[in-house]
Amino acid sequence: MKLLALETSTEACSCALYVDGTISQRAEFAPRKHAELILPMAEQLLAEAQLLPAQLDGVTFGQGPGSFTGVRIACSVAQGIAFAANVPVAPVSSLAALAQHLYQTQGHEKICVAFDARMKEVYWGIYQLNQQGLMQLQGEECVCAAHQVPLPDEKNSWVGVGSGWAAYSEALSDRLAGYVQHYDSEIYLHATALIPFALAMFAQQQVYPAETVTPVYIRNKII
Amino acid sequence: MTKIKFCDVVTMTMRILGIETSCDETAVAIYDETQGLLAHTLYSQIALHAKYGGVVPELASRDHVRKLLPLIKEVLHAANTQPHEITGVAYTAGPGLVGALLVGAATGRSLAWAWRVPAIGVHHMEGHLLAPMLENPAPTFPFLALLVSGGHTQLIEVQAIGRYRLLGESIDDAAGEAFDKVAKLLGLGYPGGPAIARVAQQGKSGRFTFSRPMTQRPGLDLSFSGLKTQVLTTWQAQTIQDEQTRADIALAFEEAVIDTLLIKAQRALQQTGLKTLVIAGGVGANQWLRTRLQQLANELNIQVFYPRPIFCTDNGAMIAYTGYVRLKAGFQEPLSFNVQPRWSMESLN
């Protein structure tokens, strides 16, 4: 299985390549430089693995929520590559991917993800590890004011992550008092975290033709 | 490891996929070096934006993502072309709406990367400028180009491909923009050009007269912002705002814009001594403008060229063709793609 992963929904730009159990990656904190960086990253990873795009078996991308322009870049690049390589696409929630990243790097299993959505709101998702080792959404992802985010079902032992925890630390801390013990707003989203989800989706054939995948903006009130 | 051998691009006849997403049309075409335009298709977002009276950039970007790949599939099929027969990908890289441009650039550059063919970012206005080259007969260099669209109103001396001299341009609103704004204030809907032209057909000439801005002054710059204000003031001063009054004002406005464009175009022809005039851009689809320009051409004994109306407005064919010209000349984009919402055409020289 050869899988290319693209994630550009936050200020970090990253690309990862999975080749039969081995993952290589490129990542850079680079606001507004995603268009410049993403294909050179992909080219380097494929070249190091001595692969051509046509040899990929699939593409996965972080479909948001996040920066509108960012999620469109990942989606459009994923569409272009997958269409050209004639392979399916596995779109993965960017909120879920950050939760997965935190699990993979720090072992946390119950996570409240908040991306700064500007306009005094956050993109919000509550995740818990399932038996397959994947972060599973509890309830629904949403965009809402920090002091109104939906709460987890049970108290204690949750960890907060994402830029929303820096932008609205007070409002979120108040709202999640008794639920979230600590948070980390400095961890950046990584394309490697898309891969476990994508592998599961390919295994279950829950993948899509390139022309049918779209970003998930959540915020649809834009005028 | 198996090595996949790709066709040698240089020895193949060039066949270019062109992608246009700079504003509110998603358009795709395939141009072949020897056979010419093979296929073109377009999805217009006009209905999506109509209720807002103009293009909403975020809505436009979102719609491009949904429409672009299906249109690419459609055009490949229509051109009876397999993906491996595409030798290059061209996409509009500016000027235009940044989010909308990025959809075409990201998709186009990625397709080219994965197909292992070169890509080229095309200047949208150069695309308009070269659109008449898709027609038979096509103009020959040098010529004067009158580019009139929703975003631009420019007079350009075209010495050759890539040799452009801006002679004059609108110092405020573009002509197409003025049509949109006047249509909106007269309650005629969006897009304004066709709406005004339609209503103006019922108008009586002579009841209203608007100025021909900046024609009394030397030079080739234009201005349409004041004209829009004149229309607004006139419309608001009418005690009876009936259909006939609306039509009469629309006609007077259309006359003023077209007269102004003609006066400046004639002046540019005289200053440069050029004998060929090319019209491009969305306003170039205005039938009355075309008729008047043909009359002018007959009087001055010059030749006038314009693309068919669907190639006056935004389209993929002009991007595929311009991409072909640029790739043929040896230009191509690095893997780092980018777009330029504002981009002077003279910087192409």
PDB file of all heavy atoms in Angstrom, chain A residues 35-36 43 50 68-69 72 76-77 80 83-84 211 217 219-220 222-223, chain B residues 1 52 58 61-62 73 102 107 110-111 113-114 116 335-338:
ATOM      1  N   ALA A  35       0.719  26.734  -0.770  1.00  0.00           N
ATOM      2  CA  ALA A  35       0.737  26.487  -2.213  1.00  0.00           C
ATOM      3  C   ALA A  35       2.177  26.332  -2.716  1.00  0.00           C
ATOM      4  O   ALA A  35       2.456  25.549  -3.608  1.00  0.00           O
ATOM      5  CB  ALA A  35       0.029  27.622  -2.955  1.00  0.00           C
ATOM      6  N   GLU A  36       3.070  27.084  -2.101  1.00  0.00           N
ATOM      7  CA  GLU A  36       4.472  26.992  -2.531  1.00  0.00           C
ATOM      8  C   GLU A  36       5.121  25.689  -2.079  1.00  0.00           C
ATOM      9  O   GLU A  36       6.009  25.164  -2.741  1.00  0.00           O
ATOM     10  CB  GLU A  36       5.275  28.157  -1.941  1.00  0.00           C
ATOM     11  CG  GLU A  36       4.966  29.494  -2.571  1.00  0.00           C
ATOM     12  CD  GLU A  36       5.556  30.634  -1.738  1.00  0.00           C
ATOM     13  OE1 GLU A  36       6.720  30.520  -1.335  1.00  0.00           O
ATOM     14  OE2 GLU A  36       4.831  31.604  -1.479  1.00  0.00           O
ATOM     15  N   GLU A  43       7.017  15.781  -3.920  1.00  0.00           N
ATOM     16  CA  GLU A  43       8.028  15.344  -4.893  1.00  0.00           C
ATOM     17  C   GLU A  43       9.255  14.769  -4.181  1.00  0.00           C
ATOM     18  O   GLU A  43       9.773  13.709  -4.565  1.00  0.00           O
ATOM     19  CB  GLU A  43       8.427  16.536  -5.785  1.00  0.00           C
ATOM     20  CG  GLU A  43       9.619  16.310  -6.697  1.00  0.00           C
ATOM     21  CD  GLU A  43       9.351  15.342  -7.840  1.00  0.00           C
ATOM     22  OE1 GLU A  43       8.179  15.010  -8.084  1.00  0.00           O
ATOM     23  OE2 GLU A  43      10.332  14.901  -8.462  1.00  0.00           O
ATOM     24  N   GLN A  50      11.796   6.470  -4.357  1.00  0.00           N
ATOM     25  CA  GLN A  50      11.921   6.040  -5.758  1.00  0.00           C
ATOM     26  C   GLN A  50      10.571   5.628  -6.346  1.00  0.00           C
ATOM     27  O   GLN A  50      10.433   4.566  -6.961  1.00  0.00           O
ATOM     28  CB  GLN A  50      12.941   4.908  -5.870  1.00  0.00           C
ATOM     29  CG  GLN A  50      14.332   5.385  -5.503  1.00  0.00           C
ATOM     30  CD  GLN A  50      15.363   4.291  -5.694  1.00  0.00           C
ATOM     31  OE1 GLN A  50      15.353   3.288  -4.986  1.00  0.00           O
ATOM     32  NE2 GLN A  50      16.242   4.482  -6.661  1.00  0.00           N
ATOM     33  N   PHE A  68     -10.281  28.322   5.167  1.00  0.00           N
ATOM     34  CA  PHE A  68     -11.009  27.985   3.937  1.00  0.00           C
ATOM     35  C   PHE A  68     -10.036  27.737   2.782  1.00  0.00           C
ATOM     36  O   PHE A  68     -10.145  26.759   2.051  1.00  0.00           O
ATOM     37  CB  PHE A  68     -11.977  29.105   3.546  1.00  0.00           C
ATOM     38  CG  PHE A  68     -13.150  29.299   4.465  1.00  0.00           C
ATOM     39  CD1 PHE A  68     -13.924  30.446   4.368  1.00  0.00           C
ATOM     40  CD2 PHE A  68     -13.496  28.348   5.414  1.00  0.00           C
ATOM     41  CE1 PHE A  68     -15.020  30.636   5.195  1.00  0.00           C
ATOM     42  CE2 PHE A  68     -14.589  28.524   6.250  1.00  0.00           C
ATOM     43  CZ  PHE A  68     -15.353  29.685   6.144  1.00  0.00           C
ATOM     44  N   THR A  69      -9.113  28.678   2.627  1.00  0.00           N
ATOM     45  CA  THR A  69      -8.144  28.542   1.540  1.00  0.00           C
ATOM     46  C   THR A  69      -7.266  27.316   1.746  1.00  0.00           C
ATOM     47  O   THR A  69      -6.989  26.568   0.811  1.00  0.00           O
ATOM     48  CB  THR A  69      -7.280  29.809   1.440  1.00  0.00           C
ATOM     49  OG1 THR A  69      -8.130  30.921   1.129  1.00  0.00           O
ATOM     50  CG2 THR A  69      -6.225  29.682   0.358  1.00  0.00           C
ATOM     51  N   ARG A  72      -9.016  24.071   0.939  1.00  0.00           N
ATOM     52  CA  ARG A  72      -9.200  23.949  -0.519  1.00  0.00           C
ATOM     53  C   ARG A  72      -7.909  23.546  -1.211  1.00  0.00           C
ATOM     54  O   ARG A  72      -7.938  22.810  -2.193  1.00  0.00           O
ATOM     55  CB  ARG A  72      -9.734  25.251  -1.110  1.00  0.00           C
ATOM     56  CG  ARG A  72     -11.241  25.313  -1.142  1.00  0.00           C
ATOM     57  CD  ARG A  72     -11.729  26.431  -2.035  1.00  0.00           C
ATOM     58  NE  ARG A  72     -11.415  27.743  -1.509  1.00  0.00           N
ATOM     59  CZ  ARG A  72     -12.180  28.400  -0.650  1.00  0.00           C
ATOM     60  NH1 ARG A  72     -13.290  27.871  -0.215  1.00  0.00           N
ATOM     61  NH2 ARG A  72     -11.838  29.593  -0.221  1.00  0.00           N
ATOM     62  N   SER A  76      -7.868  20.327  -3.456  1.00  0.00           N
ATOM     63  CA  SER A  76      -7.607  20.437  -4.896  1.00  0.00           C
ATOM     64  C   SER A  76      -6.361  19.661  -5.300  1.00  0.00           C
ATOM     65  O   SER A  76      -6.331  19.021  -6.351  1.00  0.00           O
ATOM     66  CB  SER A  76      -7.455  21.911  -5.300  1.00  0.00           C
ATOM     67  OG  SER A  76      -8.667  22.608  -5.104  1.00  0.00           O
ATOM     68  N   VAL A  77      -5.325  19.716  -4.457  1.00  0.00           N
ATOM     69  CA  VAL A  77      -4.097  18.966  -4.770  1.00  0.00           C
ATOM     70  C   VAL A  77      -4.387  17.465  -4.708  1.00  0.00           C
ATOM     71  O   VAL A  77      -3.975  16.707  -5.596  1.00  0.00           O
ATOM     72  CB  VAL A  77      -2.949  19.376  -3.815  1.00  0.00           C
ATOM     73  CG1 VAL A  77      -1.753  18.442  -3.987  1.00  0.00           C
ATOM     74  CG2 VAL A  77      -2.539  20.824  -4.068  1.00  0.00           C
ATOM     75  N   GLY A  80      -6.316  16.515  -7.803  1.00  0.00           N
ATOM     76  CA  GLY A  80      -5.482  16.502  -9.007  1.00  0.00           C
ATOM     77  C   GLY A  80      -4.607  15.260  -9.066  1.00  0.00           C
ATOM     78  O   GLY A  80      -4.531  14.572 -10.089  1.00  0.00           O
ATOM     79  N   PHE A  83      -6.787  11.986  -9.346  1.00  0.00           N
ATOM     80  CA  PHE A  83      -7.368  11.846 -10.682  1.00  0.00           C
ATOM     81  C   PHE A  83      -6.299  11.406 -11.683  1.00  0.00           C
ATOM     82  O   PHE A  83      -6.511  10.489 -12.477  1.00  0.00           O
ATOM     83  CB  PHE A  83      -8.010  13.161 -11.122  1.00  0.00           C
ATOM     84  CG  PHE A  83      -8.640  13.095 -12.483  1.00  0.00           C
ATOM     85  CD1 PHE A  83      -9.849  12.452 -12.674  1.00  0.00           C
ATOM     86  CD2 PHE A  83      -7.997  13.676 -13.579  1.00  0.00           C
ATOM     87  CE1 PHE A  83     -10.428  12.385 -13.931  1.00  0.00           C
ATOM     88  CE2 PHE A  83      -8.559  13.605 -14.842  1.00  0.00           C
ATOM     89  CZ  PHE A  83      -9.782  12.957 -15.022  1.00  0.00           C
ATOM     90  N   ALA A  84      -5.128  12.057 -11.599  1.00  0.00           N
ATOM     91  CA  ALA A  84      -4.055  11.724 -12.533  1.00  0.00           C
ATOM     92  C   ALA A  84      -3.538  10.305 -12.309  1.00  0.00           C
ATOM     93  O   ALA A  84      -3.200   9.604 -13.255  1.00  0.00           O
ATOM     94  CB  ALA A  84      -2.916  12.742 -12.406  1.00  0.00           C
ATOM     95  N   GLU A 211     -13.239  13.215  -8.006  1.00  0.00           N
ATOM     96  CA  GLU A 211     -14.125  14.349  -8.323  1.00  0.00           C
ATOM     97  C   GLU A 211     -15.264  14.509  -7.327  1.00  0.00           C
ATOM     98  O   GLU A 211     -16.009  15.475  -7.391  1.00  0.00           O
ATOM     99  CB  GLU A 211     -14.667  14.234  -9.755  1.00  0.00           C
ATOM    100  CG  GLU A 211     -15.611  13.073  -9.995  1.00  0.00           C
ATOM    101  CD  GLU A 211     -14.900  11.806 -10.427  1.00  0.00           C
ATOM    102  OE1 GLU A 211     -13.706  11.637 -10.094  1.00  0.00           O
ATOM    103  OE2 GLU A 211     -15.547  10.981 -11.098  1.00  0.00           O
ATOM    104  N   TYR A 217     -16.231  22.632   5.507  1.00  0.00           N
ATOM    105  CA  TYR A 217     -15.963  23.964   6.054  1.00  0.00           C
ATOM    106  C   TYR A 217     -16.603  24.145   7.431  1.00  0.00           C
ATOM    107  O   TYR A 217     -16.142  24.924   8.237  1.00  0.00           O
ATOM    108  CB  TYR A 217     -16.522  25.036   5.119  1.00  0.00           C
ATOM    109  CG  TYR A 217     -15.969  24.987   3.711  1.00  0.00           C
ATOM    110  CD1 TYR A 217     -16.700  24.424   2.670  1.00  0.00           C
ATOM    111  CD2 TYR A 217     -14.716  25.528   3.432  1.00  0.00           C
ATOM    112  CE1 TYR A 217     -16.198  24.395   1.377  1.00  0.00           C
ATOM    113  CE2 TYR A 217     -14.218  25.506   2.133  1.00  0.00           C
ATOM    114  CZ  TYR A 217     -14.968  24.924   1.116  1.00  0.00           C
ATOM    115  OH  TYR A 217     -14.476  24.900  -0.161  1.00  0.00           O
ATOM    116  N   ARG A 219     -18.359  26.006   8.829  1.00  0.00           N
ATOM    117  CA  ARG A 219     -18.936  27.365   8.815  1.00  0.00           C
ATOM    118  C   ARG A 219     -19.474  27.654   7.418  1.00  0.00           C
ATOM    119  O   ARG A 219     -18.714  27.751   6.456  1.00  0.00           O
ATOM    120  CB  ARG A 219     -17.881  28.399   9.183  1.00  0.00           C
ATOM    121  CG  ARG A 219     -18.423  29.841   9.081  1.00  0.00           C
ATOM    122  CD  ARG A 219     -17.385  30.874   9.465  1.00  0.00           C
ATOM    123  NE  ARG A 219     -17.279  31.004  10.912  1.00  0.00           N
ATOM    124  CZ  ARG A 219     -16.183  31.408  11.531  1.00  0.00           C
ATOM    125  NH1 ARG A 219     -15.112  31.695  10.857  1.00  0.00           N
ATOM    126  NH2 ARG A 219     -16.165  31.512  12.848  1.00  0.00           N
ATOM    127  N   ASN A 220     -20.779  27.772   7.336  1.00  0.00           N
ATOM    128  CA  ASN A 220     -21.386  28.032   6.036  1.00  0.00           C
ATOM    129  C   ASN A 220     -22.030  29.401   5.957  1.00  0.00           C
ATOM    130  O   ASN A 220     -22.575  29.786   4.930  1.00  0.00           O
ATOM    131  CB  ASN A 220     -22.397  26.938   5.697  1.00  0.00           C
ATOM    132  CG  ASN A 220     -21.694  25.629   5.409  1.00  0.00           C
ATOM    133  OD1 ASN A 220     -20.693  25.597   4.682  1.00  0.00           O
ATOM    134  ND2 ASN A 220     -22.146  24.555   6.016  1.00  0.00           N
ATOM    135  N   ILE A 222     -21.281  32.745   5.402  1.00  0.00           N
ATOM    136  CA  ILE A 222     -20.084  33.438   4.939  1.00  0.00           C
ATOM    137  C   ILE A 222     -20.400  34.769   4.306  1.00  0.00           C
ATOM    138  O   ILE A 222     -19.524  35.436   3.774  1.00  0.00           O
ATOM    139  CB  ILE A 222     -19.308  32.571   3.918  1.00  0.00           C
ATOM    140  CG1 ILE A 222     -20.262  32.070   2.845  1.00  0.00           C
ATOM    141  CG2 ILE A 222     -18.620  31.425   4.611  1.00  0.00           C
ATOM    142  CD1 ILE A 222     -19.579  31.374   1.725  1.00  0.00           C
ATOM    143  N   ILE A 223     -21.667  35.179   4.325  1.00  0.00           N
ATOM    144  CA  ILE A 223     -21.998  36.467   3.704  1.00  0.00           C
ATOM    145  C   ILE A 223     -22.601  37.392   4.753  1.00  0.00           C
ATOM    146  O   ILE A 223     -23.448  36.960   5.515  1.00  0.00           O
ATOM    147  CB  ILE A 223     -23.008  36.291   2.546  1.00  0.00           C
ATOM    148  CG1 ILE A 223     -22.410  35.331   1.524  1.00  0.00           C
ATOM    149  CG2 ILE A 223     -23.281  37.618   1.877  1.00  0.00           C
ATOM    150  CD1 ILE A 223     -23.411  34.854   0.515  1.00  0.00           C
TER     151      ILE A 223
ATOM    152  N   MET B   1      13.228  -2.282  -8.640  1.00  0.00           N
ATOM    153  CA  MET B   1      12.071  -1.398  -8.834  1.00  0.00           C
ATOM    154  C   MET B   1      11.827  -1.153 -10.325  1.00  0.00           C
ATOM    155  O   MET B   1      12.757  -0.884 -11.073  1.00  0.00           O
ATOM    156  CB  MET B   1      12.347  -0.082  -8.111  1.00  0.00           C
ATOM    157  CG  MET B   1      11.511   1.047  -8.595  1.00  0.00           C
ATOM    158  SD  MET B   1      11.425   2.360  -7.397  1.00  0.00           S
ATOM    159  CE  MET B   1      10.681   1.507  -6.042  1.00  0.00           C
ATOM    160  N   TYR B  52     -27.117  38.036  -4.843  1.00  0.00           N
ATOM    161  CA  TYR B  52     -26.276  38.974  -4.094  1.00  0.00           C
ATOM    162  C   TYR B  52     -25.890  40.190  -4.938  1.00  0.00           C
ATOM    163  O   TYR B  52     -25.211  41.086  -4.457  1.00  0.00           O
ATOM    164  CB  TYR B  52     -25.015  38.273  -3.584  1.00  0.00           C
ATOM    165  CG  TYR B  52     -25.329  37.031  -2.792  1.00  0.00           C
ATOM    166  CD1 TYR B  52     -25.139  35.762  -3.341  1.00  0.00           C
ATOM    167  CD2 TYR B  52     -25.857  37.113  -1.502  1.00  0.00           C
ATOM    168  CE1 TYR B  52     -25.450  34.619  -2.626  1.00  0.00           C
ATOM    169  CE2 TYR B  52     -26.172  35.975  -0.778  1.00  0.00           C
ATOM    170  CZ  TYR B  52     -25.967  34.724  -1.347  1.00  0.00           C
ATOM    171  OH  TYR B  52     -26.288  33.599  -0.640  1.00  0.00           O
ATOM    172  N   GLU B  58     -16.047  33.828  -1.680  1.00  0.00           N
ATOM    173  CA  GLU B  58     -15.973  32.532  -0.994  1.00  0.00           C
ATOM    174  C   GLU B  58     -16.911  31.504  -1.636  1.00  0.00           C
ATOM    175  O   GLU B  58     -16.548  30.336  -1.792  1.00  0.00           O
ATOM    176  CB  GLU B  58     -16.268  32.713   0.501  1.00  0.00           C
ATOM    177  CG  GLU B  58     -16.281  31.434   1.329  1.00  0.00           C
ATOM    178  CD  GLU B  58     -14.969  30.661   1.333  1.00  0.00           C
ATOM    179  OE1 GLU B  58     -13.906  31.254   1.075  1.00  0.00           O
ATOM    180  OE2 GLU B  58     -15.013  29.435   1.585  1.00  0.00           O
ATOM    181  N   SER B  61     -15.217  30.264  -4.835  1.00  0.00           N
ATOM    182  CA  SER B  61     -14.147  29.294  -4.589  1.00  0.00           C
ATOM    183  C   SER B  61     -14.725  27.921  -4.290  1.00  0.00           C
ATOM    184  O   SER B  61     -14.248  26.902  -4.796  1.00  0.00           O
ATOM    185  CB  SER B  61     -13.297  29.735  -3.395  1.00  0.00           C
ATOM    186  OG  SER B  61     -12.801  31.036  -3.596  1.00  0.00           O
ATOM    187  N   ARG B  62     -15.751  27.892  -3.446  1.00  0.00           N
ATOM    188  CA  ARG B  62     -16.334  26.606  -3.054  1.00  0.00           C
ATOM    189  C   ARG B  62     -16.940  25.882  -4.254  1.00  0.00           C
ATOM    190  O   ARG B  62     -16.834  24.661  -4.368  1.00  0.00           O
ATOM    191  CB  ARG B  62     -17.408  26.826  -1.977  1.00  0.00           C
ATOM    192  CG  ARG B  62     -16.809  27.273  -0.662  1.00  0.00           C
ATOM    193  CD  ARG B  62     -17.849  27.404   0.434  1.00  0.00           C
ATOM    194  NE  ARG B  62     -17.189  27.781   1.684  1.00  0.00           N
ATOM    195  CZ  ARG B  62     -17.746  27.692   2.880  1.00  0.00           C
ATOM    196  NH1 ARG B  62     -18.990  27.265   3.000  1.00  0.00           N
ATOM    197  NH2 ARG B  62     -17.075  28.045   3.956  1.00  0.00           N
ATOM    198  N   LYS B  73     -13.046  15.888 -16.658  1.00  0.00           N
ATOM    199  CA  LYS B  73     -13.426  14.570 -17.184  1.00  0.00           C
ATOM    200  C   LYS B  73     -14.274  14.715 -18.443  1.00  0.00           C
ATOM    201  O   LYS B  73     -14.065  14.020 -19.436  1.00  0.00           O
ATOM    202  CB  LYS B  73     -14.237  13.798 -16.127  1.00  0.00           C
ATOM    203  CG  LYS B  73     -13.390  13.141 -15.070  1.00  0.00           C
ATOM    204  CD  LYS B  73     -14.243  12.336 -14.102  1.00  0.00           C
ATOM    205  CE  LYS B  73     -14.589  10.950 -14.636  1.00  0.00           C
ATOM    206  NZ  LYS B  73     -15.116  10.080 -13.547  1.00  0.00           N
ATOM    207  N   LEU B 102      -6.777  29.976  -6.789  1.00  0.00           N
ATOM    208  CA  LEU B 102      -6.019  28.899  -6.144  1.00  0.00           C
ATOM    209  C   LEU B 102      -6.601  27.519  -6.429  1.00  0.00           C
ATOM    210  O   LEU B 102      -5.845  26.540  -6.510  1.00  0.00           O
ATOM    211  CB  LEU B 102      -5.955  29.131  -4.630  1.00  0.00           C
ATOM    212  CG  LEU B 102      -4.745  29.925  -4.130  1.00  0.00           C
ATOM    213  CD1 LEU B 102      -4.913  30.292  -2.657  1.00  0.00           C
ATOM    214  CD2 LEU B 102      -3.439  29.155  -4.343  1.00  0.00           C
ATOM    215  N   THR B 107      -5.272  22.468  -8.541  1.00  0.00           N
ATOM    216  CA  THR B 107      -5.689  21.285  -9.290  1.00  0.00           C
ATOM    217  C   THR B 107      -4.819  21.109 -10.532  1.00  0.00           C
ATOM    218  O   THR B 107      -4.310  20.015 -10.803  1.00  0.00           O
ATOM    219  CB  THR B 107      -7.170  21.401  -9.699  1.00  0.00           C
ATOM    220  OG1 THR B 107      -7.946  21.688  -8.527  1.00  0.00           O
ATOM    221  CG2 THR B 107      -7.669  20.115 -10.326  1.00  0.00           C
ATOM    222  N   SER B 110      -1.160  20.175  -9.778  1.00  0.00           N
ATOM    223  CA  SER B 110      -1.059  18.808  -9.253  1.00  0.00           C
ATOM    224  C   SER B 110      -1.295  17.766 -10.342  1.00  0.00           C
ATOM    225  O   SER B 110      -0.610  16.737 -10.381  1.00  0.00           O
ATOM    226  CB  SER B 110      -2.070  18.603  -8.118  1.00  0.00           C
ATOM    227  OG  SER B 110      -1.858  19.549  -7.108  1.00  0.00           O
ATOM    228  N   LEU B 111      -2.247  18.042 -11.208  1.00  0.00           N
ATOM    229  CA  LEU B 111      -2.465  17.146 -12.347  1.00  0.00           C
ATOM    230  C   LEU B 111      -1.185  17.027 -13.166  1.00  0.00           C
ATOM    231  O   LEU B 111      -0.754  15.919 -13.525  1.00  0.00           O
ATOM    232  CB  LEU B 111      -3.574  17.696 -13.249  1.00  0.00           C
ATOM    233  CG  LEU B 111      -5.026  17.427 -12.890  1.00  0.00           C
ATOM    234  CD1 LEU B 111      -5.926  18.239 -13.810  1.00  0.00           C
ATOM    235  CD2 LEU B 111      -5.353  15.942 -13.005  1.00  0.00           C
ATOM    236  N   TRP B 113       1.870  17.646 -12.264  1.00  0.00           N
ATOM    237  CA  TRP B 113       2.926  16.953 -11.515  1.00  0.00           C
ATOM    238  C   TRP B 113       2.735  15.438 -11.594  1.00  0.00           C
ATOM    239  O   TRP B 113       3.675  14.696 -11.871  1.00  0.00           O
ATOM    240  CB  TRP B 113       2.927  17.422 -10.052  1.00  0.00           C
ATOM    241  CG  TRP B 113       3.884  16.654  -9.202  1.00  0.00           C
ATOM    242  CD1 TRP B 113       5.254  16.693  -9.269  1.00  0.00           C
ATOM    243  CD2 TRP B 113       3.563  15.704  -8.172  1.00  0.00           C
ATOM    244  NE1 TRP B 113       5.785  15.834  -8.332  1.00  0.00           N
ATOM    245  CE2 TRP B 113       4.772  15.217  -7.652  1.00  0.00           C
ATOM    246  CE3 TRP B 113       2.359  15.233  -7.639  1.00  0.00           C
ATOM    247  CZ2 TRP B 113       4.831  14.271  -6.622  1.00  0.00           C
ATOM    248  CZ3 TRP B 113       2.412  14.290  -6.614  1.00  0.00           C
ATOM    249  CH2 TRP B 113       3.635  13.817  -6.112  1.00  0.00           C
ATOM    250  N   ALA B 114       1.506  14.992 -11.336  1.00  0.00           N
ATOM    251  CA  ALA B 114       1.256  13.555 -11.303  1.00  0.00           C
ATOM    252  C   ALA B 114       1.321  12.936 -12.702  1.00  0.00           C
ATOM    253  O   ALA B 114       1.672  11.778 -12.857  1.00  0.00           O
ATOM    254  CB  ALA B 114      -0.092  13.272 -10.645  1.00  0.00           C
ATOM    255  N   ARG B 116       3.377  14.017 -14.895  1.00  0.00           N
ATOM    256  CA  ARG B 116       4.776  14.265 -15.301  1.00  0.00           C
ATOM    257  C   ARG B 116       4.864  15.074 -16.592  1.00  0.00           C
ATOM    258  O   ARG B 116       5.639  14.750 -17.507  1.00  0.00           O
ATOM    259  CB  ARG B 116       5.576  12.953 -15.442  1.00  0.00           C
ATOM    260  CG  ARG B 116       5.456  11.993 -14.279  1.00  0.00           C
ATOM    261  CD  ARG B 116       5.617  12.645 -12.942  1.00  0.00           C
ATOM    262  NE  ARG B 116       6.961  12.609 -12.376  1.00  0.00           N
ATOM    263  CZ  ARG B 116       7.253  13.136 -11.180  1.00  0.00           C
ATOM    264  NH1 ARG B 116       6.303  13.722 -10.450  1.00  0.00           N
ATOM    265  NH2 ARG B 116       8.477  13.088 -10.723  1.00  0.00           N
ATOM    266  N   LEU B 335       7.406  23.577  -9.200  1.00  0.00           N
ATOM    267  CA  LEU B 335       6.401  22.854  -8.412  1.00  0.00           C
ATOM    268  C   LEU B 335       5.697  23.751  -7.414  1.00  0.00           C
ATOM    269  O   LEU B 335       4.564  23.513  -7.043  1.00  0.00           O
ATOM    270  CB  LEU B 335       7.057  21.679  -7.669  1.00  0.00           C
ATOM    271  CG  LEU B 335       7.341  20.441  -8.503  1.00  0.00           C
ATOM    272  CD1 LEU B 335       8.025  19.377  -7.653  1.00  0.00           C
ATOM    273  CD2 LEU B 335       6.043  19.887  -9.083  1.00  0.00           C
ATOM    274  N   SER B 336       6.410  24.781  -6.960  1.00  0.00           N
ATOM    275  CA  SER B 336       5.771  25.764  -6.087  1.00  0.00           C
ATOM    276  C   SER B 336       4.810  26.578  -6.933  1.00  0.00           C
ATOM    277  O   SER B 336       5.230  27.365  -7.760  1.00  0.00           O
ATOM    278  CB  SER B 336       6.815  26.731  -5.518  1.00  0.00           C
ATOM    279  OG  SER B 336       7.608  26.080  -4.586  1.00  0.00           O
ATOM    280  N   PHE B 337       3.529  26.373  -6.729  1.00  0.00           N
ATOM    281  CA  PHE B 337       2.593  27.165  -7.531  1.00  0.00           C
ATOM    282  C   PHE B 337       2.131  28.354  -6.710  1.00  0.00           C
ATOM    283  O   PHE B 337       2.188  28.358  -5.492  1.00  0.00           O
ATOM    284  CB  PHE B 337       1.414  26.320  -8.008  1.00  0.00           C
ATOM    285  CG  PHE B 337       0.585  25.692  -6.928  1.00  0.00           C
ATOM    286  CD1 PHE B 337      -0.494  26.354  -6.385  1.00  0.00           C
ATOM    287  CD2 PHE B 337       0.896  24.425  -6.464  1.00  0.00           C
ATOM    288  CE1 PHE B 337      -1.270  25.763  -5.387  1.00  0.00           C
ATOM    289  CE2 PHE B 337       0.124  23.837  -5.464  1.00  0.00           C
ATOM    290  CZ  PHE B 337      -0.945  24.499  -4.929  1.00  0.00           C
ATOM    291  N   ASN B 338       1.704  29.372  -7.415  1.00  0.00           N
ATOM    292  CA  ASN B 338       1.142  30.522  -6.734  1.00  0.00           C
ATOM    293  C   ASN B 338       0.236  31.283  -7.678  1.00  0.00           C
ATOM    294  O   ASN B 338       0.242  31.030  -8.881  1.00  0.00           O
ATOM    295  CB  ASN B 338       2.229  31.436  -6.174  1.00  0.00           C
ATOM    296  CG  ASN B 338       1.884  31.823  -4.746  1.00  0.00           C
ATOM    297  OD1 ASN B 338       0.718  32.031  -4.414  1.00  0.00           O
ATOM    298  ND2 ASN B 338       2.888  31.907  -3.895  1.00  0.00           N
TER     299      ASN B 338
END
